[in-house]
Amino acid sequence: MFFFMRRATVRNVADLPAVVGWSMELNGYVNKTYDIHLKTGLELFGTPTVHWHFETDSLDKISALNQKLLQDRTYIAMLEKAKPYWMDGSLKDEIVQFP
């Protein structure tokens, strides 16, 4: 089992309501289109950071999903819309394997 997580730090705390709304919109689109059960969460303490994650049984599935997303114009437009929300250099991806 593999756990994929992406996180990004919000540039301005005042943008949190908009970020949460955008994140839920992104979740809905990705889950409906790609059936991956993406979840979103906010860190409760420290810097305002948003996390997205999903589980899969294969690294190949993560790679295939990434290729599809890179060609998905709706997804790319959603990412572009949210660019002003994120602190530069804060986007991080992690993949963890569970035995």
Side-chain angles (χ1 to χ4, degrees):
M1 181 64 60
F2 297 90
F3 182 83
F4 174 87
M5 183 171 59
R6 172 168 289 161
R7 67 179 182 263
T9 303
V10 178
R11 183 184 312 266
N12 184 339
V13 175
D15 289 331
L16 274 176
V19 167
V20 169
W22 174 85
S23 294
M24 294 297 101
E25 182 183 340
L26 181 76
N27 256 33
Y29 175 76
V30 170
N31 286 334
K32 181 178 178 184
T33 306
Y34 299 102
D35 192 32
I36 63 166
H37 308 289
L38 181 68
K39 296 180 182 179
T40 299
L42 276 174
E43 283 190 32
L44 296 179
F45 306 103
T47 58
T49 302
V50 181
H51 296 255
W52 299 269
H53 65 87
F54 67 92
E55 293 181 7
T56 185
D57 59 358
S58 154
L59 286 175
D60 290 337
K61 288 183 181 178
I62 294 173
S63 180
L65 174 64
N66 191 50
Q67 291 303 313
K68 290 176 187 176
L69 290 172
L70 290 173
Q71 295 177 24
D72 183 330
R73 291 182 182 177
T74 300
Y75 176 76
I76 297 298
M78 292 175 85
L79 295 182
E80 288 295 321
K81 178 181 173 184
K83 265 187 176 180
Y85 296 141
W86 312 119
M87 191 174 293
D88 293 339
S90 69
L91 181 68
K92 303 288 186 221
D93 289 347
E94 295 177 303
I95 299 174
V96 178
Q97 183 179 14
F98 292 96

